[in-house]
Amino acid sequence: MTSHDVVARIRRLARTRRVGHGGTLDPMATGVLVIGVGRATRLLTYVIGAGKSYTATIRLGQATVTDDAEGDVIATTSTVGVTDDAVRAALAAQTGEIDQVPSAVSAIKINGQRAYKRVREGEILELPARRVTISQLDVRAIRRDAPDVVDVVDVDVEVTCSSGTYIRAIARDAGLALGVGGHLTALRRTAVGGFTLAEAATLDTLEQRAPDVVNLPLAAAAERFFPRRDATGDEARVLGHGGPLDAVGIAGPYAVFGPDGGLIAIVSERDGRARAEIVLAPA
């Protein structure tokens, strides 16, 4: 399924068009997809920029056109002589702040058109590198016993990274560094910001309880994701109508809650005032 497919299904289950997601998953990938319903769709702009965590399997010895298992194999190279230490070193070199070239077969727009569409039409693209941060890239296993392919090395990894990082590109670049090519054979997103796989619901579960598909109310989600400020009754009225509050020195953006515990707005402070970026209080 694509992320768009999931949104379409949630719209049907929740009986509303106001549904969006907080960061695309490749069709091959499984795991966490944050969905916003109703007013919560307005918070998704913050979720998209949150850090993410993954488990993945990299196959060394084969390169593909898409840098993952969905694309055709375009090169096969023997991995004889590729040591475990060399594998670990090639991956360690990709940690920290790095300039990463996204996969050409990606959803990035080039002159208004998705890169993958241009590649499928026969165009050869070289995308510019982007600065990303890979804060964790741990090797969990190195295996040389793939039953379906001889002479490849499969590497299981755990990754925590900034938004915009391509795990497929990590696989590709490790293969390039080792001179044998590489691609991704499995990808599972385990967390988006503080939202984890452990609390996620399957689509089958949501189908059974529809139209009640929301498992984290708007106020609870905001409290989990942002610093919190509690407003007085007067402040709540001002902010609810889009007016500014006095700054209190909280690094923003942060969530402001009314005396009743309801979420009023997401605000940021500048020039001594706290101004709403998004007002979420019911009209």
Side-chain angles (χ1 to χ4, degrees):
M1 296 183 81
T2 66
S3 301
H4 181 74
D5 292 335
V6 175
V7 168
R9 191 159 165 189
I10 297 296
R11 281 175 175 155
R12 177 176 60 80
L13 296 179
R15 300 172 190 169
T16 177
R17 296 290 301 170
R18 293 186 68 190
V19 177
H21 67 75
T24 302
L25 270 177
D26 288 342
M28 185 189 86
T30 62
V32 176
L33 183 68
V34 177
I35 299 290
V37 179
R39 286 185 298 144
T41 56
R42 302 187 68 197
L43 290 182
L44 292 174
T45 185
Y46 301 101
V47 174
I48 288 170
K52 298 171 177 66
S53 297
Y54 299 88
T55 58
T57 299
I58 296 167
R59 174 157 290 180
L60 299 170
Q62 291 180 331
T64 72
V65 68
T66 57
D67 301 326
D68 64 17
E70 294 205 310
D72 294 335
V73 174
I74 54 176
T76 300
T77 306
S78 173
T79 59
V80 172
V82 175
T83 66
D84 287 6
D85 285 346
V87 171
R88 293 179 187 277
L91 291 168
Q94 296 189 62
T95 57
E97 277 196 26
I98 64 169
D99 291 321
Q100 184 187 71
V101 177
S103 172
V105 183
S106 68
I108 292 173
K109 284 189 175 181
I110 306 294
N111 296 327
Q113 193 174 40
R114 301 290 185 187
Y116 64 77
K117 187 174 188 298
R118 295 177 66 161
V119 170
R120 287 169 184 164
E121 290 172 351
E123 191 171 345
I124 298 174
L125 290 181
E126 185 173 340
L127 302 183
R130 304 194 298 182
R131 179 57 59 98
V132 299
T133 300
I134 300 174
S135 52
Q136 175 194 359
L137 208 177
D138 292 340
V139 175
R140 292 306 182 194
I142 299 176
R143 299 177 281 110
R144 303 171 188 270
D145 55 356
D148 52 335
V149 185
V150 297
D151 195 18
V152 295
V153 178
D154 287 330
V155 187
D156 298 328
V157 298
E158 290 184 4
V159 183
T160 300
C161 55
S162 62
S163 177
T165 303
Y166 279 82
I167 311 302
R168 286 184 283 156
I170 294 175
R172 176 202 65 207
D173 292 346
L176 286 172
L178 293 164
V180 296
H183 70 281
L184 214 58
T185 61
L187 180 64
R188 186 164 182 80
R189 188 155 66 192
T190 55
V192 177
F195 305 124
T196 66
L197 193 60
E199 63 189 314
T202 65
L203 279 169
D204 288 344
T205 297
L206 298 184
E207 188 93 39
Q208 292 168 15
R209 70 181 199 218
D212 183 20
V213 299
V214 174
N215 58 4
L216 191 63
L218 179 62
E223 189 168 23
R224 284 262 303 273
F225 205 74
F226 299 96
R228 177 182 179 124
R229 174 179 175 178
D230 291 296
T232 65
D234 287 343
E235 289 174 330
R237 281 187 289 275
V238 170
L239 189 59
H241 288 93
L245 304 181
D246 291 335
V248 292
I250 302 175
Y254 59 82
V256 179
F257 295 82
D260 62 353
L263 177 63
I264 304 170
I266 307 300
V267 309
S268 60
E269 297 185 357
R270 58 188 181 277
D271 302 326
R273 305 295 275 167
R275 302 181 190 278
E277 294 185 358
I278 300 174
V279 176
L280 291 151

